[in-house]
Amino acid sequence: MASVAVPNSSASIASLTLGSGNYLIFAKAWFQNGGVGTGTVTCTLNTATKLDEMRLQLGAGVTGAATLVGVTTLASSTTVNLLCTDGGGIVDVTASDVKIAALKVETLTAG
């Protein structure tokens, strides 16, 4: 996947549609702040509900990676979204190597 601009307000930067069943879902991305200030990237891994959330503070010119993990049971076909924001201001964050992967499992046990 090519680099994508991380929006100033929360929006999907990647998605994956899954059928019904039990899933272990992973999302990951590299973020780079091309702006002149420090900013916080916030991302959530969502179906109809939030599965995981992360915050990554990036100074000007700094690159960082994030991984999110969720478990869910889906009753019907559902789209999983990686929603991110850079909060706006003087930051200019791009995301690269963004991926969402899901592993369908027979049963789920999460703690």
Side-chain angles (χ1 to χ4, degrees):
M1 172 179 225
S3 294
V4 295
V6 176
N8 293 336
S9 58
S10 187
S12 180
I13 64 167
S15 63
L16 179 65
T17 301
L18 301 171
S20 62
N22 299 314
Y23 291 92
L24 176 59
I25 304 168
F26 302 91
K28 67 100 174 166
W30 283 93
F31 297 95
Q32 180 170 17
N33 180 3
V36 296
T38 297
T40 301
V41 175
T42 303
C43 294
T44 57
L45 184 62
N46 284 33
T47 55
T49 60
K50 180 169 53 174
L51 303 175
D52 199 7
E53 181 177 39
M54 74 85 194
R55 289 182 181 86
L56 179 65
Q57 189 167 10
L58 295 174
V62 174
T63 299
T67 303
L68 295 95
V69 178
V71 294
T72 190
T73 299
L74 303 175
S76 61
S77 180
T78 302
T79 299
V80 179
N81 286 290
L82 179 58
L83 304 171
C84 295
T85 178
D86 67 7
I90 58 175
V91 297
D92 182 21
V93 177
T94 56
S96 60
D97 202 19
V98 181
K99 292 187 174 61
I100 299 177
L103 178 64
K104 191 171 185 178
V105 296
E106 188 67 31
T107 58
L108 283 175
T109 304

